[in-house]
Amino acid sequence: DRIFGRYSGTVHSVAGADGTREYQYQGLTVITGGTGEFRNIRGTIRDTTRGASKAGKALSNAERGEGEYWFEE
């Protein structure tokens, strides 16, 4: 069984003088349905990811997400 959703989000990125890049993603996933037992699932998930990188390598990465779901009749 599968669950389907639609994601939209934004990213804000700032370059530091030392070549590091700090970023923050914020997004929303809307759960639109699924197959089998999940065909009537609906819901939302909000997430935020913050991190930093330098020369293409991750220095830090932290994600937080929370949401809710329900089954429609």
Side-chain angles (χ1 to χ4, degrees), residues 1-71:
D1 294 343
R2 295 179 181 212
I3 296 174
F4 302 110
R6 187 175 54 251
Y7 179 83
S8 63
T10 60
V11 62
H12 178 74
S13 177
V14 177
D18 63 352
T20 60
R21 180 169 296 278
E22 293 185 3
Y23 56 87
Q24 177 174 312
Y25 294 93
Q26 291 185 317
L28 173 69
T29 301
V30 176
I31 301 170
T32 59
T35 62
E37 292 183 29
F38 298 114
R39 70 181 172 278
N40 294 325
I41 195 168
R42 304 291 186 269
T44 57
I45 302 169
R46 294 186 184 282
D47 66 270
T48 301
T49 302
R50 294 182 178 153
S53 63
K54 186 171 184 178
K57 294 188 178 187
L59 300 175
S60 65
N61 192 41
E63 182 176 349
R64 177 181 168 93
E66 56 184 49
E68 62 182 358
Y69 68 92
W70 60 91
F71 290 90

